[in-house]
Amino acid sequence: MPDTFVQSTDDVVKFLKDQHNLIKDLFEEVFSASTAKAREKAFVELRQLLAVHETAEEMVVHPRARREVAEGDEIVDARLHEEHAAKEQLSKLESMDVGSDEFITELAKFREAVVDHAEREEHEEFDKLHRKLDADDLERMVKAVQAAEAIAPTRPHPGVESAGLNFAVGPFASMLDRARDLIGAALR
Ligand SMILES: [Fe+2]
Ligand SMILES: [Fe+2]
């Protein structure tokens, strides 16, 4: 996992909001890259961050929000739907030439969708979840999110929005138990 993904905070909502800002910065980098090579590099970093970020939300944060937040099921189902659509957009971008005008046009649409999704998460889900959790919980969930990000696939997999499946496809069996413990503790 690149160093830029590692942040130290004891509040899961702050952690995720910081990552949203990092995602926005990486979009800027992809757009402003002066060579195709630099654009490719920034895009790969963006894609990896998005993949691990969304996986951690799907494993740790959304299940907890379902339980804690009023109308949690409705809110989380809408977020999962957006995440699935984003993964499909990302798969399409992956098959394109980063030096082409079409790539930039698609990337602009993708950024809009990702930023809208992040804002809805922050306002409709995370802020409400924050009000329901105490400091210990918020800290436990940072650890669980970090553990999930460490074992998450770094490429998007549309259709594996369920936590169970993400566990099943994780490549590092030895890390899974520890991650599962941390995540299990955060979900209780
Ligand atoms: Fe998300
Ligand atoms: Fe997010």
Side-chain angles (χ1 to χ4, degrees):
M1 193 164 63
D3 292 346
T4 46
F5 299 176
V6 179
Q7 309 131 57
S8 78
T9 168
D10 52 10
D11 176 345
V12 72
V13 169
K14 167 125 183 25
F15 181 92
L16 293 168
K17 286 183 177 179
D18 284 350
Q19 258 181 0
H20 286 170
N21 288 331
L22 201 53
I23 288 164
K24 288 176 200 165
D25 290 349
L26 282 172
F27 268 109
E28 247 350 281
E29 259 184 60
V30 183
F31 278 112
S32 64
S34 53
T35 64
K37 208 174 164 211
R39 175 161 294 150
E40 173 84 43
K41 188 171 175 285
F43 178 62
V44 168
E45 208 178 325
L46 170 67
R47 190 187 71 202
Q48 289 176 339
L49 176 55
L50 279 170
V52 300
H53 173 87
E54 298 302 341
T55 299
E57 287 176 345
E58 287 158 16
M59 279 179 167
V60 177
V61 186
H62 296 332
R64 191 72 196 257
R66 265 190 205 283
R67 290 212 327 262
E68 305 279 355
V69 171
E71 284 156 46
D73 278 334
E74 208 176 305
I75 292 166
V76 169
D77 286 346
R79 297 297 83 74
L80 290 177
H81 186 77
E82 292 157 9
E83 284 165 13
H84 181 77
K87 284 173 203 172
E88 287 184 335
Q89 272 180 295
L90 191 51
S91 297
K92 186 174 173 194
L93 279 163
E94 274 195 83
S95 68
M96 297 174 85
D97 171 5
V98 296
S100 66
D101 291 346
E102 293 77 25
F103 178 84
I104 294 299
T105 307
E106 280 304 310
L107 188 71
K109 288 189 218 160
F110 181 55
R111 173 166 66 178
E112 205 181 311
V114 169
V115 169
D116 280 356
H117 168 71
E119 281 169 8
R120 285 196 199 106
E121 270 179 344
E122 291 182 14
H123 299 132
E124 293 176 27
E125 182 179 346
F126 298 168
D127 288 344
K128 291 177 185 171
L129 184 62
H130 196 268
R131 287 196 284 274
K132 293 281 185 175
L133 301 179
D134 61 24
D136 283 351
D137 255 332
L138 292 167
E139 192 174 352
R140 231 187 328 267
M141 286 184 74
V142 174
K143 296 210 168 66
V145 163
Q146 286 170 330
E149 291 191 355
I151 58 164
T154 53
R155 294 182 89 94
H157 295 280
V160 292
E161 281 73 24
S162 90
L165 211 47
N166 272 326
F167 270 126
V169 298
F172 307 113
S174 64
M175 292 173 75
L176 280 176
D177 282 344
R178 178 161 164 70
R180 212 189 298 258
D181 287 349
L182 286 165
I183 293 163
L187 293 176
R188 272 197 286 275

